């Protein structure tokens, strides 16, 4: 059975879920009428479970936007770091990243705190009085 449908020169993969312009998600029922696929709401409220012909759905609530499934954790890790297992085995952790990126930074490089280690309420009172 063919799992693609061409409408107005656009090829639609019927194995995907599609969202209409109102955000409702639709999937193919696996049925066709005169070569036109029937689409049903993914989570239809009571009374709204009648399938629509793809062409009617496209014209009434389109365009339809394909929704891809979310990547798995393994796919995400492979995209970020193709050799994730070796990276973990080598002990590559955030502390080592920070040491490699900014080894010379220390507390002294920051400007002094306006709180002066005296507390937030005292700082606010000093603003209300117009100075320290």
């Amino acid at each position: 059975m063919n799992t693609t449908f061409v409408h107005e020169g656009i090829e639609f993969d019927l194995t995907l879920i599609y969202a209409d312009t109102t955000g409702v998600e639709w999937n193919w029922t696996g049925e066709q009428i005169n070569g036109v696929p029937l689409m049903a709401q993914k989570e239809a409220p009571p009374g709204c479970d009648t399938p629509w012909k793809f062409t009617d759905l496209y014209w009434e609530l389109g365009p339809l936007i394909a929704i891809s499934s979310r990547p798995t954790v393994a796919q995400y890790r492979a995209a970020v770091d193709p050799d994730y297992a070796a990276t973990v085995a080598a002990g590559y952790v955030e502390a080592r990243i920070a040491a490699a990126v900014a080894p010379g930074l220390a507390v002294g490089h920051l400007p002094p705190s306006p709180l002066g280690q005296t507390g937030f309420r005292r700082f606010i009172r000093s603003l209300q009085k117009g100075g320290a």
Side-chain angles (χ1 to χ4, degrees), residues 10-128:
I10 302 169
E11 185 174 350
F12 291 91
D13 181 357
L14 298 174
T15 62
L16 298 176
I17 296 171
Y18 288 89
D20 64 24
T21 56
T22 64
V24 175
E25 296 180 1
W26 298 81
N27 15 331
W28 181 38
T29 63
E31 301 173 57
Q32 295 184 356
I33 293 179
N34 298 329
V36 178
L38 291 178
M39 305 293 284
Q41 289 186 26
K42 186 176 175 189
E43 296 179 16
C48 296
D49 54 355
T50 303
W52 286 39
K53 289 169 74 175
F54 189 95
T55 52
D56 294 343
L57 176 63
Y58 187 86
W59 279 105
E60 294 289 327
L61 299 171
L64 301 177
I65 303 163
I67 299 176
S68 300
S69 59
R70 294 184 63 88
T72 65
V73 171
Q75 290 170 328
Y76 178 77
R77 285 181 177 161
V80 172
D81 183 359
D83 202 7
Y84 180 78
T87 301
V88 172
Y92 194 66
V93 294
E94 288 184 23
R96 290 188 182 179
I97 294 171
V101 172
L105 296 181
V107 176
H109 80 280
L110 297 173
S113 167
L115 301 180
Q117 303 299 326
T118 59
F120 186 72
R121 288 186 181 151
R122 186 169 177 187
F123 172 68
I124 295 297
R125 277 191 233 116
S126 72
L127 293 176
Q128 292 169 343

